Amino acid sequence: MSFGDPNNPYGQQPQQGANPYGQQPGGQPGYGYPQGQQAPQQGYGYPQQQQYGGAPMGPQTMPGTVSAARVMLWVIAGLQVIGVVLMLIAAASVSAAKNDAQLKDDVQFQQLADYSSGALYAIAAFAVAWLVFAIVLAVKFGKGANGLRVTTMVFAIVTAVLGIYPFVVVGLIHTVLAVLIAVFVGKDSGAQWFKRPRY
């Protein structure tokens, strides 16, 4: 009995003993696999940690270092709130002292008071903007892409520099936190988190 061309998928296939490539359960031939071995089965739906283009999909949960950087952004925002309150109190105190009867005739103090209160209000406004920026970055850590990572690193570097000068004494904590944020976000785990594919 002849079975025709063995490579013809539409022709009649030989029995199990006559098929050199083996046969899958259910009568489907296992093309290209030696007898006794089964072709790998693929499931339906999204694969878990499937490789795409040779690169891993990335972490599905936020790495610990990235989460720590996010917490540090919230700490910086909290410190900014405290700084804003102190700056506003200092500016109000300088303005009140400017109206003091004993100091009203002192021209040098009046000039210094005008400059000091204006500078303190400007610093307070800058601190408010910086704290809003820190909050926005912290909120977007869960869904942000690589652009957010780069922005966070720039924010951290500028914060570290401002912590060194001009706010040396009060900025030391900011400097330490900012350096840690830049390091944690800049690490490989941070890059994998912010560059992960989103579906």
Side-chain angles (χ1 to χ4, degrees), residues 5-190:
D5 184 5
N7 293 325
N8 183 1
Y10 300 107
Q12 183 179 4
Q13 297 296 320
Q15 296 299 320
Q16 179 71 24
N19 184 359
Y21 297 109
Q23 193 167 11
Q24 298 275 344
Q28 297 198 358
Y31 297 111
Y33 289 90
Q35 186 171 355
Q37 289 188 5
Q38 203 171 3
Q41 301 293 320
Q42 285 190 327
Y44 295 100
Y46 290 106
Q48 294 183 5
Q49 293 298 332
Q50 175 86 16
Q51 299 253 336
Y52 178 75
M57 286 180 62
Q60 299 303 309
T61 58
M62 191 181 296
T65 54
V66 177
S67 181
R70 183 185 208 179
V71 169
M72 290 176 197
L73 282 170
W74 285 111
V75 171
I76 285 178
L79 291 173
Q80 292 294 105
V81 170
I82 295 170
V84 167
V85 170
L86 291 177
M87 291 292 172
L88 292 176
I89 290 172
S93 299
V94 169
S95 295
K98 184 171 61 172
N99 297 328
D100 190 341
Q102 293 178 345
L103 297 173
K104 228 169 190 177
D105 296 332
D106 190 345
V107 176
Q108 290 180 340
F109 174 77
Q110 292 298 325
Q111 290 175 345
L112 179 65
D114 287 339
Y115 172 76
S116 296
S117 61
L120 289 172
Y121 282 124
I123 292 170
F126 177 76
V128 168
W130 211 244
L131 90 87
V132 169
F133 195 15
I135 290 172
V136 169
L137 291 174
V139 167
K140 291 185 174 283
F141 256 48
K143 296 181 181 178
N146 195 47
L148 180 73
R149 175 178 172 254
V150 173
T151 305
T152 303
M153 290 173 67
V154 170
F155 171 86
I157 291 167
V158 172
T159 302
V161 171
L162 289 174
I164 295 171
Y165 180 81
F167 308 111
V168 181
V169 178
V170 295
L172 185 60
I173 297 173
H174 280 76
T175 300
V176 172
L177 291 173
V179 168
L180 289 173
I181 289 169
V183 169
F184 288 164
V185 173
K187 288 176 72 172
D188 287 341
S189 58

